[in-house]
Amino acid sequence: MIKHYQHFLAFQFAVDEINKDPYLLPNITLGYQLLNNFHESILAVESSLIWLSGKGRTIPNYSCDRQQKSVAVIGGLAASLSIPLAKVLELYKIPQISYGPFDPILSDKVKLPYVYQSANRDTTLHVAIVQLMLHFGWTWVGLILSDDIRGENFFRDVKEEMVKNGVCVAIKEIVPQNLLYKFDKETKLLYRILVSSSKVIFIYGDTNSLRELFPAINHFPLYGKLLVTTSSCDFGVHSSTETNENFHGMIIFSHVKPEVPGFTDFLNSVNPIKNPEDIFLKTFWETAFGCTLSEKRPGDMKFYACPKYYSLSDVNPDILDMVMSELSVNVYSAVYVVARALHEILQTQSKEISEFGAIPEISWKLHHFLKCINPVSNISDETCGDRSRMPIETYDILNFNYVPGRMDTLVKVGKVTPELPNGQGFRINEEDIEWPEDFAQTPSSICSVSCVPGFRKTARENEPICCFDCTPCPDGKISNHTDAEVCLKCSEDQFPSRERDRCLSKNVIFLAFEEPLGMTLTCTAICFSFLTALVLGVFVKHRDTPIVKANNRGLSYTLLISLTLCFLCSLLFIGRPTTATCLLRQTTFAIVFTCAIASILAKTITVVLAFKATKPGSNLRRYLSSTASFSLILTCILLQMCLCGIWLGTYPPFLEMDMHSELGHIVIQCNEGSILAFYCVLGYMGFLALGSFTTAFLARNLPDIFNEAKYLTFSMLVFCSVWISFLPTYQSTKGKAMVAVEVFSILTSSAGILTCIFAPKCYVILLRADRNTLEILKSKANSGGLRCSQPT
């Protein structure tokens, strides 16, 4: 792990800065000892014993170096290294500051009372990760976790956040220890990840706990997968420039690092020729440049003498980055934490530090001040160790770019502050992201394709919520956004679109005068009413002719006026309904039609009585007067008016909006109110019509001269046929079609009566005037052997 040499350089830089600072530890020079544990816990324990016992023979529980002035230990890249070290140091209450990624195990002050951490906490990292998933729509994600408590805690937190936001875990893998020594497990682990349906894999751990995963990926690349990790997991430590190609496009979350001015200049000033006593620098220099600083290296002919002009800026960035890494920042902060703690002791005591007693005495005094200095900000904490008020965490989103033949780079593509509400702290520039070569565009990692508007998600049995089928919304319901879980019902004044993805406003419709059907019915009603008025005019003009007088011209006038009103009353059914028209149209239609049918009934009775009254001494002559006929008509009308009055007084017709009869339309119509009253009114008219039809039918064979019975029979036959057909048709239609059916029935029945009764008379009056004379009528009457009577 030669790349970790930067940690030591950051340590040296911090010590050098502090020694040059006239305000921090004035007149005091910091020194240090450097011991390497090679990332092995056994060597970490050995190094601690060497540090305590001195340079001679290691004797546990004895300190043999009287010149020892060290008061604290900075070390432990991971908990596996810090804990064994702490078990030895806690015997002397020596403070230990771990600079590795923050680990909750090291925060246990009962088991590890003298261990401190300089790293930032990851308390909101899981929130930042899920925000990235939601931004790109990754709802089917794989997790690779370290086999330790950090991995367990992170999985618990991220799983809870994922469930809260509808994201699912496609695959969860724990990286076991000694993975490289178990080839079959390594192969199976990477194969399971490779064949999983998730395209996005998040890796959580640190460099130490996952030190065997990335070399395995170098041998078994995860093609077709986008890797997301944190800066705590430095894959470059175990990779070469060539194998970094396998990590191109990786997304990395990193704590926002404070700027450390002067570090680059410090690195450029470091040279083994200037610092010959630094054996670590000499070793690093020869390894990094592949040269030798010695005059001769026996048996090794491939090394050449290192040129004097070399500097650390010439080192491959994969070996040494000129920008301080996150772990190096932790080392830098740890040195300052110790220095500020010592400075606080100087401020509270009058003695010089050189007069302090043994190491434990100084170390014991450091603990109080270390608790009261924030390791992240290096500022004195007034809460003195109370970490309930932690600083807001902010992460940089980095993108690893690998370009063959060029320097690998980490490009900052975004920033996230998870604690800000509603995702306000999430910013990312998608245009700056270089995705892995397997993806031509932004990767998609989903279990099921999103349901488009008009469909809803239907969960699959025994599968996560991210795996679902898309089911069309049922009739009358819509879904107006992607991945809707339920379909919504449109309000009553709206209806679903054909795609069922939005609600459309219903059009208000009624049988209008302007539409073709309404215009046709209106013109028909006006034309027939005008025609009826012409017939009435003809009858009035020829009122003294025998054919007009022979058929009771008073009743004919009444019938023609009633028919004119029947045609005109149909206009009340056309146009936008109002409360007034709803009240008037059925009652008006009932009364004027009753008048017309009653007039026909009176005519029919008059025809029958006219022949019965021809017998000598018959008492029926008094019923042939106009008074009797009009009394009958008035009685029939009064009875109908009583029915209408009862109807209007109990449950009258009213205006209503029919939302359901026609899809996409609101039908403005009149509700008849009491259906019983409506059919009673129609039934009464039917009763009168049936009586007229029956009477006319019985009188159909009387002599033709005075007999209207055949014409009346045909007119009533047409009338009854129309209205009998009307009833089932009226019941089976809705909306404006129902209104059109009633208007059509009114016009047809009225036109049938007008045609059947008055067309033959008008033919004689207008075209065969020679037949409309008294002499012709008398001659035909005499030839028939009957006496005639002409009621007026």
Side-chain angles (χ1 to χ4, degrees), residues 553-768:
R553 58 190 174 190
L555 290 178
S556 297
Y557 297 159
T558 304
L559 178 57
L560 288 172
I561 293 172
S562 299
L563 289 176
T564 302
L565 296 176
C566 286
F567 286 120
L568 293 177
C569 81
S570 64
L571 299 179
L572 292 173
F573 292 81
I574 306 173
R576 188 183 184 97
T578 63
T579 302
T581 55
C582 289
L583 292 173
L584 289 175
R585 64 184 190 178
Q586 295 292 4
T587 53
T588 302
F589 151 71
I591 292 172
V592 295
F593 253 80
T594 299
C595 181
I597 297 170
S599 298
I600 294 173
L601 179 62
K603 271 182 164 292
T604 306
I605 294 174
T606 300
V607 170
V608 174
L609 292 180
F611 285 95
K612 297 289 184 179
T614 55
K615 295 180 181 180
S618 175
N619 294 324
L620 297 177
R621 279 184 171 272
R622 63 177 179 271
Y623 295 112
L624 294 178
S625 65
S626 298
T627 303
S629 299
F630 286 113
S631 297
L632 176 63
I633 295 173
L634 183 59
T635 301
C636 294
I637 291 175
L638 288 176
L639 289 176
Q640 184 68 286
M641 291 179 68
C642 290
L643 290 176
C644 291
I646 295 172
W647 183 9
L648 295 179
T650 55
Y651 193 5
F654 57 90
L655 184 67
E656 73 170 358
M657 303 285 186
D658 185 358
M659 306 287 185
H660 311 292
S661 296
E662 297 189 27
L663 181 63
H665 298 92
I666 300 176
V667 181
I668 301 180
Q669 62 183 13
C670 293
N671 188 304
E672 307 307 341
S674 174
I675 298 299
L676 177 63
F678 174 67
Y679 283 109
C680 285
V681 169
L682 290 181
Y684 178 71
M685 287 191 293
F687 172 75
L688 294 180
L690 182 62
S692 299
F693 173 75
T694 303
T695 306
F697 180 78
L698 295 176
R700 68 188 185 281
N701 292 324
L702 294 176
D704 290 339
I705 301 305
F706 302 101
N707 192 7
E708 282 186 303
K710 289 183 179 180
Y711 304 136
L712 296 175
T713 302
F714 280 121
S715 67
M716 286 297 97
L717 181 62
V718 171
F719 182 88
C720 292
S721 299
V722 169
W723 287 102
I724 290 174
S725 302
F726 162 79
L727 292 176
T729 307
Y730 185 80
Q731 289 296 325
S732 61
T733 55
K734 294 181 179 180
K736 64 180 184 180
M738 182 172 64
V739 179
V741 166
E742 187 169 0
V743 173
F744 178 79
S745 300
I746 292 172
L747 296 178
T748 304
S749 58
S750 301
I753 294 173
L754 177 67
T755 303
C756 292
I757 296 177
F758 293 100
K761 294 182 175 61
C762 290
Y763 172 76
V764 173
I765 293 172
L766 299 177
L767 301 179
R768 297 297 302 272

Side-chain angles (χ1 to χ4, degrees), residues 363-402:
S363 301
W364 298 343
K365 293 178 181 179
L366 279 175
H367 288 298
H368 172 75
F369 296 99
L370 288 175
K371 292 177 182 179
C372 298
I373 296 178
N374 192 313
V376 178
S377 61
N378 268 318
I379 299 174
S380 180
D381 187 356
E382 294 181 359
T383 60
C384 201
D386 182 9
R387 295 287 181 257
S388 60
R389 298 185 299 170
M390 297 303 296
I392 295 178
E393 297 177 18
T394 302
Y395 297 90
D396 286 331
I397 303 176
L398 309 177
N399 181 220
F400 178 72
N401 294 342
Y402 170 81

Side-chain angles (χ1 to χ4, degrees), residues 291-312:
C291 61
T292 179
L293 291 169
S294 304
E295 295 181 0
K296 184 178 181 180
R297 183 182 289 266
D300 198 344
M301 303 300 295
K302 64 179 180 178
F303 283 89
Y304 62 93
C306 296
K308 294 182 179 181
Y309 58 82
Y310 274 176
S311 68
L312 291 180

